[in-house]
Amino acid sequence: MQNILELTYPELESAVQAMGHQGFRARQLWKWLWRSGVREFSAMSNIAKDFREQLTREWSLVWPEVHEVQTSSDGTIKLLLRLADGALVETVLIPDKDRYTQCLSCQIGCPMGCTFCSTGLMGFTRNMTAGEIAAQVLVAREYLRTHGLAQNVKNLVYMGMGEPLTNWDAVKRSLSILSHSEGMEFSRRRITLSTCAIKGKMDVFDAEGLALPAISLHAPTQEIRESLMPGAARWPIDELIAALQGMELKARERVTIEYILIKGVNDSLQHARQLVRLLSHLKCKINLIAYNPGPGIAYAAPEHEDVLAFEELLRKKGFTVTLRKSKGQDIAAACGQLKTEALGRANSTSSEEGRSNGTA
Ligand code: SF4
């Protein structure tokens, strides 16, 4: 049976009509699925009993299961989720005042092969479906509710495991599910899609308008990008920046540039000057992230003073710069550094919910 969470709203409407019911039933059903977050058709109390029974006969309603939880000292919560086929994937909840930003995964593994990233080194297993991607938010909301955490998920970042533009069909469908006005209602300004940028696919930001772009650049030159991001660097860096300059943005919108500082690789003042030259004509803001080494990866974290000097140079040149300080944020933004550790532990230990290791 097909999981009903895989349907977009128009598809659910068609499915409801094909089952012999009026279209407005789809709205009720959608609210139960995506606003109330119920797990059973039988709990949908304002839907007629015979329709609920028909739904149970013809559709499944399957959420990812929480396999393991870790909570860091800064309040970041990592949920390791088990999908219906047993695949494990991680989503991260990052606290920010009275709300959370949730980092979503979109693939099991990743085809891009970034050399600083644990997910990249894992290789690619499969794409996640739209329902699997969107249901990460259902699970997170339920987790917060059932653990006495009053805050809710307010912002989404597609910044976890996987490269969204290489699974665009499912990612686009998940965006349509998560932004629907009868359900979770995440607006464009509350959804950021982080990508290392794929040639020929950047027009989705203009054409679809469903999310704001954040570009994982991580290098000031083509040569450095080739060593850090061999898959992404097939698109020469100058062409990438020119394409970003041509993007249509609304009045106050800017492209976000993500830049992970790695010791001795891209963190010197010379690299900062190269970055200034590269981005001088781009309407952008820069997120600097101090690298947090993953297991089995040879790169090292930058010295704190080098990070501050890098940041100061960019600010002096007029850029808006954010320096990610929290470890939880570092990990989430680093796009997959957590997974090898989490998956390795999941393979070697039994499920253990609620453990706090303080290290995220
Ligand atoms: S950094 Fe992102 S795009 Fe690169 S391998 Fe990791 S998950 Fe994939």
Side-chain angles (χ1 to χ4, degrees):
M1 273 194 292
Q2 196 188 354
N3 188 355
I4 202 161
L5 296 178
E6 294 298 338
L7 302 183
T8 61
Y9 190 88
E11 290 167 348
L12 185 68
E13 252 178 347
S14 301
V16 165
Q17 284 164 354
M19 292 167 79
H21 300 274
Q22 291 179 299
F24 78 90
R25 294 280 173 212
R27 192 163 71 240
Q28 290 177 317
L29 190 48
W30 188 268
K31 282 184 171 169
W32 282 113
L33 294 172
W34 292 107
R35 189 166 287 182
S36 306
V38 301
R39 286 171 171 261
E40 308 276 348
F41 292 118
S42 59
M44 300 176 176
S45 54
N46 66 349
I47 291 180
K49 188 158 177 270
D50 57 343
F51 184 30
R52 280 184 268 157
E53 288 169 355
Q54 186 184 13
L55 286 165
T56 306
R57 281 195 307 276
E58 298 183 18
W59 294 89
S60 64
L61 172 46
V62 181
W63 285 26
E65 295 299 327
V66 176
H67 179 74
E68 181 178 331
V69 180
Q70 291 185 338
T71 307
S72 90
S73 54
D74 65 13
T76 300
I77 302 166
K78 296 186 298 175
L79 302 176
L80 183 64
L81 307 179
R82 181 183 289 279
L83 305 181
D85 66 351
L88 295 172
V89 72
E90 191 171 276
T91 185
V92 183
L93 286 160
I94 304 157
D96 178 18
K97 299 188 186 116
D98 59 344
R99 60 189 60 182
Y100 282 92
T101 294
Q102 184 173 4
C103 179
L104 300 176
S105 292
C106 65
Q107 292 174 323
I108 311 301
C110 182
M112 300 309 292
C114 300
T115 56
F116 58 85
C117 169
S118 299
T119 303
L121 298 183
M122 239 185 250
F124 174 69
T125 303
R126 71 166 173 89
N127 285 324
M128 288 171 70
T129 64
E132 288 172 337
I133 297 168
Q136 293 173 85
V137 186
L138 290 176
V139 175
R141 285 188 161 182
E142 185 183 77
Y143 180 85
L144 294 174
R145 199 169 53 241
T146 56
H147 286 73
L149 297 160
Q151 306 98 313
N152 210 338
V153 177
K154 287 283 193 265
N155 298 296
L156 301 175
V157 288
Y158 283 70
M159 207 179 270
M161 208 170 178
E163 163 50 56
L165 296 190
T166 62
N167 185 20
W168 177 243
D169 285 349
V171 167
K172 179 179 160 187
R173 289 167 58 84
S174 72
L175 288 167
S176 133
I177 292 170
L178 292 167
S179 61
H180 197 277
S181 59
E182 301 288 344
M184 292 196 176
E185 282 189 288
F186 285 97
S187 64
R188 167 181 161 97
R189 67 188 167 77
R190 287 168 54 201
I191 304 177
T192 300
L193 204 142
S194 177
T195 175
C196 55
I198 309 287
K199 187 174 184 178
K201 299 204 171 181
M202 299 303 287
D203 60 347
V204 299
F205 290 104
D206 291 338
E208 311 292 346
L210 290 167
L212 293 170
I215 308 301
S216 299
L217 189 67
H218 304 326
T221 66
Q222 174 65 13
E223 189 186 2
I224 296 174
R225 201 158 193 257
E226 278 172 9
S227 74
L228 290 176
M229 309 177 76
R234 284 187 216 117
W235 193 10
I237 201 165
D238 291 340
E239 288 182 25
L240 162 60
I241 299 300
L244 296 179
Q245 285 167 356
M247 280 178 64
E248 287 174 24
L249 294 170
K250 294 184 179 146
R252 299 219 306 264
E253 289 178 353
R254 282 171 292 174
V255 175
T256 298
I257 298 291
E258 303 277 359
Y259 192 102
I260 294 183
L261 290 156
I262 303 175
K263 185 176 185 174
V265 175
N266 63 357
D267 64 339
S268 71
L269 287 178
Q270 187 197 347
H271 295 130
R273 285 185 210 102
Q274 289 171 325
L275 188 62
V276 167
R277 276 199 295 280
L278 186 68
L279 302 180
S280 57
H281 299 296
L282 181 64
K283 203 175 146 197
C284 68
K285 57 183 175 182
I286 302 172
N287 278 347
L288 293 178
I289 307 140
Y291 184 62
N292 189 30
I297 298 180
Y299 297 120
E303 302 297 336
H304 187 55
E305 55 268 30
D306 292 339
V307 173
L308 295 180
F310 199 102
E311 179 195 15
E312 191 187 345
L313 191 145
L314 295 181
R315 281 194 203 284
K316 276 188 181 159
K317 294 294 180 183
F319 286 93
T320 301
V321 187
T322 309
L323 178 59
R324 299 262 178 87
K325 295 192 174 77
S326 148
K327 203 161 192 179
Q329 284 179 322
D330 293 351
I331 289 164
C335 191
Q337 285 183 22
L338 302 174
K339 278 75 180 190
T340 298
E341 179 206 341
L343 292 171
R345 193 176 46 256
N347 290 336
S348 61
T349 65
S350 59
S351 170
E352 183 185 359
E353 188 170 341
R355 182 170 65 177
S356 169
N357 70 1
T359 62

